Amino acid sequence: MPAKAVAPTPRKGLLLRLLRGLAWVLIIVAVVGVALYLAFGPAHLFDRLKPAPPAFPEQVTASPDPVAAAPVPAAASAPEDTRELIALVMGSVEDIWGEFLARGDYVYRKPRLELYEGRIEAACKQSGAVSGPFYCADEKRIYLDLTYLDELRKRAPEVSDFARTYVVAHEAAHHVQNLLGTTAWIKEYGERGEMAEGPRSVEEAQELLADCLVGSWASYAQRKYPWLKPQDVEKALKAVAALSEERAGRQGQPPMPDPLTLGSVQARTHWFTLGFESGDARECSQLFGGVAQ
């Protein structure tokens, strides 16, 4: 007679049921995790920024209330002093990007600001001296070279107000990228080879995105600061690129960490203009949609 099959012990049956249950739990957790990533991950980062602009009223309507309405501040003229210009730009950056990010459930945290002249040693954990304007993501600090900005003012006086403002706002845009967490996302995007039709490198993508974000900011800032003239964009960017290239070739000149010469002037003008004309930071995500110029 054939031997009877040995029935599994209760302990072994219980273990099998526990393993099957654990497998189902892991499957459910994985599915939920993927769904959350697709819904709220980096690919939808810019969709969370609302396009509604901050309010810059141009006039105050008469009020029936006997209390006089607060006067609207007069449009500010561009200051000659570079330090004052920096203060104006950084104040506007805080106001406008604070409003933008709040509508996307983000908080704008002011960067630290370091002003220096000509060269600075061991900045942002770098060995040796560096020069020019740049942003340090680890420190959340903007370094602005007053010598560079003053030289820019003297070399291109007809567009110097716009050019200096652009440089300051560009570094602030790198800070916004850092707050949004796009730096790691751009790197991953580039590693997948999806920038073949647009930027040639991760670094170039970061620069063009910063220019587009500057354009979004400038579309509202110009209402208060009329020296931000759209017709000066290409001339100002050419002046910045020319000065940066010349400084890079000078004997004994410390390097500039921010590659303000990376990408053509035409490409940088294109992405600045896109941000400026739309006034919507979400439009800058076109840079990663295979439509980069």
Side-chain angles (χ1 to χ4, degrees):
M1 293 180 61
K4 291 184 178 181
V6 179
T9 64
R11 180 175 298 177
K12 183 179 294 184
L14 177 61
L15 180 60
L16 290 174
R17 287 195 296 272
L18 288 174
L19 290 175
R20 282 196 294 268
L22 180 59
W24 278 109
V25 169
L26 292 175
I27 292 172
I28 293 171
V29 168
V31 170
V32 171
V34 170
L36 290 174
Y37 178 83
L38 292 176
F40 302 106
H44 294 270
L45 198 59
F46 286 96
D47 287 339
R48 299 180 63 189
L49 297 180
K50 307 298 182 183
F56 283 95
E58 308 225 346
Q59 62 182 11
V60 178
T61 56
S63 171
D65 195 300
V67 179
V72 178
S77 59
E80 287 293 325
D81 181 72
T82 297
R83 290 177 183 269
E84 185 181 349
L85 183 141
I86 291 171
L88 288 176
V89 173
M90 293 305 297
S92 176
V93 162
E94 181 179 357
D95 291 342
I96 293 174
W97 277 113
E99 184 74 16
F100 278 166
L101 298 188
R103 290 192 172 111
D105 297 328
Y106 289 92
V107 176
Y108 180 82
R109 294 181 175 85
K110 292 196 299 184
R112 299 172 180 174
L113 187 61
E114 182 83 23
L115 304 182
Y116 69 99
E117 297 185 7
R119 59 191 295 141
I120 187 169
E121 299 285 343
C124 197
K125 300 179 182 178
Q126 299 184 70
S127 59
V130 294
S131 66
F134 61 97
Y135 174 69
C136 179
D138 292 339
E139 299 176 357
K140 293 184 172 61
R141 187 190 303 267
I142 293 175
Y143 289 86
L144 294 176
D145 183 349
L146 297 175
T147 302
Y148 175 93
L149 294 171
D150 285 338
E151 188 172 352
L152 185 61
R153 176 175 61 85
K154 294 173 183 177
R155 288 171 58 97
E158 69 282 0
V159 293
S160 66
D161 296 333
F162 189 100
R164 288 181 296 163
T165 299
Y166 158 78
V167 170
V168 177
H170 178 89
E171 301 309 330
H174 282 305
H175 178 61
V176 172
Q177 290 186 51
N178 195 21
L179 294 177
L180 292 174
T182 59
T183 302
W185 184 80
I186 291 174
K187 182 178 180 182
E188 179 185 349
Y189 193 90
E191 288 173 349
R192 295 202 304 264
E194 297 183 23
M195 290 192 292
E197 299 298 326
R200 290 168 293 181
S201 66
V202 169
E203 292 77 15
E204 185 175 337
Q206 291 174 332
E207 293 301 307
L208 297 180
L209 177 58
D211 287 337
C212 187
L213 296 178
V214 173
S216 299
W217 163 80
S219 64
Y220 301 108
Q222 71 155 353
R223 305 183 190 186
K224 188 174 181 181
Y225 305 119
W227 70 80
L228 298 174
K229 299 174 182 177
Q231 63 269 26
D232 289 343
V233 173
E234 187 169 1
K235 291 180 180 179
L237 293 180
K238 284 182 178 179
V240 171
L243 175 58
S244 300
E245 287 175 357
E246 181 183 312
R247 285 169 61 94
R250 288 179 188 172
Q251 188 75 20
Q253 176 71 49
M256 293 175 56
D258 188 347
L260 288 170
T261 58
L262 190 58
S264 67
V265 171
Q266 291 74 20
R268 301 189 80 139
T269 301
H270 168 81
W271 288 105
F272 179 99
T273 303
L274 177 67
F276 185 88
E277 292 181 348
S278 67
D280 184 355
R282 297 179 305 172
E283 292 297 315
C284 300
S285 63
Q286 291 184 32
L287 184 65
F288 310 106
V291 294
Q293 300 297 316

